[in-house]
Amino acid sequence: MKVLLNLRRLAINQLHEPIDFGDVDEKLLPIGVFDSGLGGLTVVKQLLLHLPNESIIYFGDTARLPYGTKSILTVRKFSLQIARFLQEQGVKIIVVACNTASSLALNVIKENTAIPVLGVIGPGVSAALRVSKSKSIGVIGTTATILSGAYKKALQKLDPAVNVNSVACPLFVPLVEEGWERSDVTELIARKYLDPIINTEIDTLILGCTHYPILKDVLHKVVDNIIIIDSSIETARQVRYILQSEKIQRPKRSKPTHKFYVSDRPQRFEEIAERFLGEPLPNVKQISLDDYRK
Ligand code: DGL
């Protein structure tokens, strides 16, 4: 029965037709979110704001981060394991909060998953194209994200005339995790990274990494008069839209539950999480993905 239901969902998903979830009450199921670590909590924060009734299961692959320096094969392998884990938890949609995983692995996750899967690139790209007047857009992200060209491809697929200027900013992730988002050092490094795009036609900058919304203030200082696109906000809006159009929003009846899992010991995650989420995060559980390796 479960297999049949999944096959039906897979077929429907691929045809982009409305999803019929049969006799399972999908509305009550949680949203699955994953990231290489804790950066994806910027997406969770927006999900909590935009969809306060929804339950959430979050997985942060803290034992294997960072993804931003890893190869495509590795990121795909890890992402598929996590997608399998989340599906087994019975989520109704998977949100790939990690920009690197969205850039390198979104298609393979979709191909191997029987429920809707949303990455962070599409939402960020649509928002940037909506607001950019000069049609010259900057993208910053991890080395793997920028090397993949995923943002550039997605932007130019929707508007072939758009000019895209991408810069990898690998030091931003450790600076944010260190809590240095307001430090002079971070501003100096941001100036160095963004120097090639500061005096260009660019009027819009996509934050193509989970950690970068924490750096919004410093980025605004470095590149003023630019519209900053925070993919986490756009992603939450898109999730709300999908749940509404598929009619699988959770009704208000009962209190939603929020569960957080990591693959390494939870202490560091719990300590830093508050800065990402804006509230303390106790009871994070460590789990092993060994059963999901193939
Ligand atoms: N979550 C990653 C991203 O958004 C950043 C951290 C990492 O490199 O794993 O690309």
Side-chain angles (χ1 to χ4, degrees):
M1 168 68 193
K2 202 170 173 189
V3 173
L4 274 179
L5 184 66
N6 278 344
L7 281 175
R8 184 148 50 95
R9 282 191 207 159
L10 186 61
I12 291 167
N13 232 349
Q14 284 170 353
L15 292 171
H16 303 289
E17 280 176 11
I19 302 166
D20 169 12
F21 287 118
D23 47 7
V24 176
D25 193 356
E26 305 284 328
K27 290 182 178 149
L28 298 178
L29 298 179
I31 296 172
V33 184
F34 84 85
D35 179 46
S36 55
L38 47 80
L41 294 176
T42 50
V43 176
V44 171
K45 185 178 176 183
Q46 294 304 327
L47 287 172
L48 294 173
L49 281 173
H50 288 79
L51 293 157
N53 297 325
E54 295 295 334
S55 293
I56 293 173
I57 293 185
Y58 180 90
F59 178 80
D61 200 2
T62 49
R64 302 188 292 194
L65 64 77
Y67 281 12
T69 50
K70 296 207 164 58
S71 70
I72 188 163
L73 284 179
T74 301
V75 173
R76 283 188 174 165
K77 188 172 75 186
F78 292 172
S79 301
L80 282 173
Q81 288 164 2
I82 301 167
R84 248 177 255 139
F85 163 74
L86 287 174
Q87 276 206 102
E88 241 171 66
Q89 306 310 302
V91 298
K92 60 184 168 190
I93 180 170
I94 293 178
V95 181
V96 184
C98 178
N99 284 260
T100 306
S102 294
S103 301
L104 273 51
L106 191 66
N107 286 345
V108 287
I109 302 172
K110 281 185 173 171
E111 280 159 21
N112 288 280
T113 310
I115 50 173
V117 180
L118 180 72
V120 282
I121 295 180
V125 158
S126 321
L129 288 172
R130 241 186 352 255
V131 297
S132 172
K133 292 206 165 53
S134 67
K135 295 296 166 211
S136 217
I137 296 176
V139 181
I140 52 176
T142 63
T143 306
T145 295
I146 299 305
L147 277 179
S148 77
Y151 271 100
K152 189 171 181 179
K153 278 181 221 150
L155 283 161
Q156 290 183 336
K157 191 171 171 195
L158 291 180
D159 183 350
V162 79
N163 170 41
V164 184
N165 221 321
S166 312
V167 184
C169 306
L171 290 174
F172 280 175
V173 167
L175 285 169
V176 169
E177 295 203 357
E178 208 54 39
W180 288 8
E181 59 267 24
R182 284 180 228 294
S183 144
D184 295 351
V185 176
T186 305
E187 189 178 330
L188 212 70
I189 292 172
R191 284 194 190 283
K192 178 123 182 106
Y193 277 142
L194 298 179
D195 187 53
I197 59 173
I198 285 176
N199 292 318
T200 62
E201 294 286 287
I202 285 166
D203 64 353
T204 307
L205 181 68
I206 302 179
L207 306 185
C209 175
T210 46
H211 290 57
Y212 299 179
I214 310 273
L215 296 174
K216 257 189 218 166
D217 288 347
V218 86
L219 292 170
H220 270 303
K221 253 189 181 177
V222 173
V223 273
D224 50 51
N225 287 329
I226 208 158
I227 303 167
I228 288 185
I229 302 292
D230 178 345
S231 311
S232 61
I233 298 174
E234 298 306 324
T235 303
R237 288 188 184 136
Q238 191 78 42
V239 175
R240 187 173 58 194
Y241 173 78
I242 295 173
L243 299 186
Q244 274 167 359
S245 53
E246 302 296 345
K247 298 191 174 47
I248 49 172
Q249 296 145 283
R250 190 173 189 280
K252 276 190 191 147
R253 293 187 233 137
S254 54
K255 219 170 159 260
T257 56
H258 302 132
K259 293 183 184 158
F260 294 86
Y261 298 101
V262 289
S263 51
D264 200 0
R265 68 184 182 94
Q267 280 85 345
R268 186 173 151 79
F269 184 91
E270 286 177 350
E271 276 161 30
I272 309 180
E274 194 171 344
R275 270 194 288 127
F276 281 77
L277 209 53
E279 57 186 88
L281 196 57
N283 299 325
V284 177
K285 289 199 175 60
Q286 180 176 355
I287 53 140
S288 160
L289 284 188
D290 284 351
D291 293 344
Y292 301 90
R293 293 176 207 267
K294 257 197 202 158

